[in-house]
Amino acid sequence: MNRVADRLLAVVLLAVGIASFAKAYLAQGDAAGSFASAHLLVLVAAGGLSLVGAVLFWAGLLPGRPRHQAGAPLFGRAAEVQETGRPRLRQAFLVVPLIAVLALVADQFGPWRADDASPGGEVAAPNQPKSTEPKGSEPKGEDIANAPPAPEPAPPPAMAPAPPPIAAPPPPAQAAQPPEQAAKPPEPAPAQPPAAPAAPPPEVAVIPPPATVAPPPPAPPPLPTQPEGHRDAVVWLAVAPDGRSIMSASTDQTIKLWDIAGKQLIRNLGVHKDMARTALFMPDGVSALTAGDDGEIVLRKLSDGAVLHVFSSGENGGVNKLAISPDGKRAVSVHGTGTVIVWDLENKSALHVMTGHDWSISAVAVSPDGFSAVSGSIDGTLKLWDIGAGKLLRSWHGHERGTYGAVFTADGHHLITGSGDYTIKLWDLDTGREVRRFEGHSGTVYVLALSADGKRLLSGSLDGTARLWDMETGNEIAMFDSQSGPIYAVAFAADGTVLTGGYDRTIRDWPAGGGGGVVLFAGAPD
């Protein structure tokens, strides 16, 4: 079948080549100008390449790419197919007929044709000297690519400029007299009273037009700083079980522990070798589990930050997100390689290494009973796992874009997810169906938190806002606008207020009913 197709392509290329050479031969007598010369060269080149391609296709020297294997996935490593033959050369010769057809069409309607030349054309008439007047230089392609962006148009002036004075027309020139009249003396003109001086035109007051551009809003005041603050974005917040302290993780690789009541740093808990991603309080209240892009999960003492144990994910890569079971016996980490790892925190070992995602995993949550976990990928796929047995229970496509936040409800039968498609969805895990949708964000919903009573949902987004939702109705209760960049971390304080962390390096406290927030812990100076 492929052999027959190659021979048909050879016939087509042969016909195109012959037509190109014939058209070039007939057009060379009528050609004039540089445009025509270039056109003839295109026809000759296209014809030659077409004939060469015809020979190669007829001889079977340009085999095509292998077909997709039956049963292979459309995405992922298993779908990669080794190219054979000369696919790039084959594609090049398949483009040749299109070039030749375009050249033939251009020959019919090209600007070098004398009968089609327009008055404003660039082709000079015979024996007419070419104009030497310099033309305005046009930017080249590389100049356009390297040029700075054009400034925004300035707003219209508040007052229109006064019109320029109207100059009086010059007196008409005196007509030349015939010779016979010029010899006679001029007759005296009758006396006339002197003309009254012309009154000056009345001055016209220029009334400025009404303003059409609203004045820009005032710039927000500069954020406070503190030397012990984070030096880069805050990407994780966790409130201690007793509600007295906050633990934060940052892209500056550090983990910090803060005193809420005293509004001060308690201590630096530790530093990861790469971006820190997650910091979780252990149920025992004396230790914490932190993870980062260095692929390490570190068990630390809260009292002094001492390292108790390091779990290494090895070739599975950095830890994108981490979750622990309510009893503190197991942890689940998700990775950029699409791997889900279940860790036995008591025996300090990896319990299960589960694969199934084709893309990097960006969300994870453990059920309240500690028996199952959900992982979400950047392709929008959600998977429910039995972490005790290490097997997949259900998989479904939950979002049009990546899933970046996930949290179980208290009953363990429902899941809430946020996504790059700007939506938040509530799922029934028993049926896999969507129950409710929360809409309002204009950017990726990056993180979620559920209140202790399960009645309110808190979301943080790359649109720079955090929003509070009613879980029963799906309605938005309050919106908190940082006005300083994306929000990457959210949490509920013990008193019910809202905590956020984000791009501006600060940790803020917001009233639950809405309104402006205060900087609880500032970032470090630049």
Side-chain angles (χ1 to χ4, degrees):
M1 184 64 184
N2 292 334
R3 184 66 173 170
V4 174
D6 284 353
R7 296 210 168 186
L8 288 177
L9 286 172
V11 173
V12 172
L13 286 169
L14 178 64
V16 171
I18 295 174
S20 299
F21 278 119
K23 198 64 177 179
Y25 177 78
L26 295 176
Q28 64 181 350
D30 299 332
S34 59
F35 283 105
S37 300
H39 166 66
L40 291 178
L41 290 176
V42 171
L43 283 174
V44 172
L49 290 174
S50 297
L51 294 180
V52 172
V55 173
L56 294 177
F57 275 107
W58 187 269
L61 298 178
L62 295 176
R65 296 176 59 184
R67 298 178 61 185
H68 187 78
Q69 299 179 359
L74 297 178
F75 302 99
R77 301 181 183 85
E80 296 178 1
V81 182
Q82 181 86 24
E83 291 187 355
T84 60
R86 304 177 183 85
R88 295 185 182 276
L89 187 60
R90 178 186 180 92
Q91 294 171 1
F93 277 108
L94 289 177
V95 176
V96 167
L98 178 61
I99 298 175
V101 171
L102 292 175
L104 294 173
V105 173
D107 179 73
Q108 185 67 26
F109 302 101
W112 50 82
R113 297 179 61 89
D115 53 343
D116 292 337
S118 60
E122 295 292 337
V123 182
N127 302 325
Q128 179 178 351
K130 296 183 179 179
S131 172
T132 59
E133 180 182 358
K135 299 180 181 179
S137 61
E138 298 181 358
K140 298 180 180 180
E142 58 271 19
D143 295 333
I144 296 175
N146 298 325
E152 296 183 0
M159 181 177 293
I166 302 175
Q174 187 176 358
Q177 298 179 354
E180 60 272 16
Q181 294 181 2
K184 295 180 181 181
E187 296 181 359
Q192 295 182 355
E203 294 185 0
V204 180
V206 179
I207 302 176
T212 57
V213 178
L223 294 173
T225 60
Q226 59 186 101
E228 63 270 21
H230 281 296
R231 298 186 178 275
D232 211 335
V234 177
V235 297
W236 189 270
L237 292 175
V239 178
D242 60 9
R244 297 179 180 178
S245 57
I246 300 173
M247 191 162 47
S248 59
S250 169
T251 56
D252 66 5
Q253 306 178 13
T254 64
I255 308 294
K256 295 179 181 287
L257 185 65
W258 307 89
D259 179 8
I260 297 178
K263 296 185 178 180
Q264 62 183 356
L265 179 69
I266 299 175
R267 66 182 53 89
N268 288 315
L269 280 181
V271 179
H272 278 271
K273 301 181 183 68
D274 204 336
M275 180 190 304
R277 292 277 190 175
T278 311
L280 302 170
F281 287 97
M282 294 292 291
D284 59 13
V286 299
S287 59
L289 200 63
T290 69
D293 281 359
D294 56 6
E296 293 183 348
I297 302 171
V298 183
L299 185 63
R300 310 174 187 269
K301 290 178 62 177
L302 290 173
S303 58
D304 56 5
V307 175
L308 301 175
H309 188 80
V310 177
F311 302 85
S312 178
S313 61
E315 62 184 10
N316 294 290
V319 181
N320 290 346
K321 292 289 175 67
L322 179 71
I324 60 174
S325 61
D327 58 10
K329 295 182 179 180
R330 293 173 181 171
V332 180
S333 62
V334 293
H335 304 263
T337 56
T339 305
V340 180
I341 302 179
V342 181
W343 303 92
D344 187 333
L345 300 182
E346 292 183 319
N347 297 321
K348 308 295 188 298
S349 62
L351 188 61
H352 301 291
V353 178
M354 303 179 293
T355 60
H357 282 286
D358 295 326
W359 298 86
S360 176
I361 308 176
S362 47
V364 65
V366 176
S367 63
D369 59 12
F371 294 151
S372 60
V374 165
S375 58
S377 171
I378 61 172
D379 64 358
T381 301
L382 294 167
K383 294 184 182 293
L384 179 65
W385 307 88
D386 181 336
I387 61 176
K391 64 179 182 180
L392 180 65
L393 299 177
R394 180 181 293 113
S395 178
W396 73 101
H397 189 78
H399 292 275
E400 295 305 316
R401 296 186 181 180
T403 305
Y404 293 96
V407 60
F408 276 89
T409 59
D411 61 10
H413 295 280
H414 294 82
L415 176 77
I416 312 164
T417 58
S419 172
D421 60 16
Y422 307 169
T423 66
I424 302 168
K425 295 182 180 181
L426 174 65
W427 303 93
D428 184 339
L429 292 178
D430 295 331
T431 63
R433 294 181 180 178
E434 179 184 336
V435 177
R436 186 172 297 115
R437 184 174 300 192
F438 307 78
E439 295 180 308
H441 280 293
S442 58
T444 295
V445 181
Y446 193 77
V447 63
L448 298 173
L450 195 61
S451 63
D453 59 9
K455 296 180 179 180
R456 295 178 300 159
L457 175 69
L458 180 60
S459 60
S461 169
L462 302 191
D463 63 9
T465 70
R467 297 172 191 252
L468 197 61
W469 310 86
D470 186 322
M471 281 295 297
E472 184 65 28
T473 63
N475 295 331
E476 181 181 311
I477 300 173
M479 188 266 284
F480 315 98
D481 191 354
S482 70
Q483 298 184 354
S484 56
I487 291 178
Y488 300 124
V490 297
F492 283 101
D495 60 0
T497 59
V498 169
L499 302 173
T500 64
Y503 177 81
D504 62 6
R505 302 174 293 174
T506 67
I507 300 173
R508 302 195 194 197
D509 189 15
W510 306 80
V518 297
V519 175
L520 193 60
F521 304 109
D526 292 328

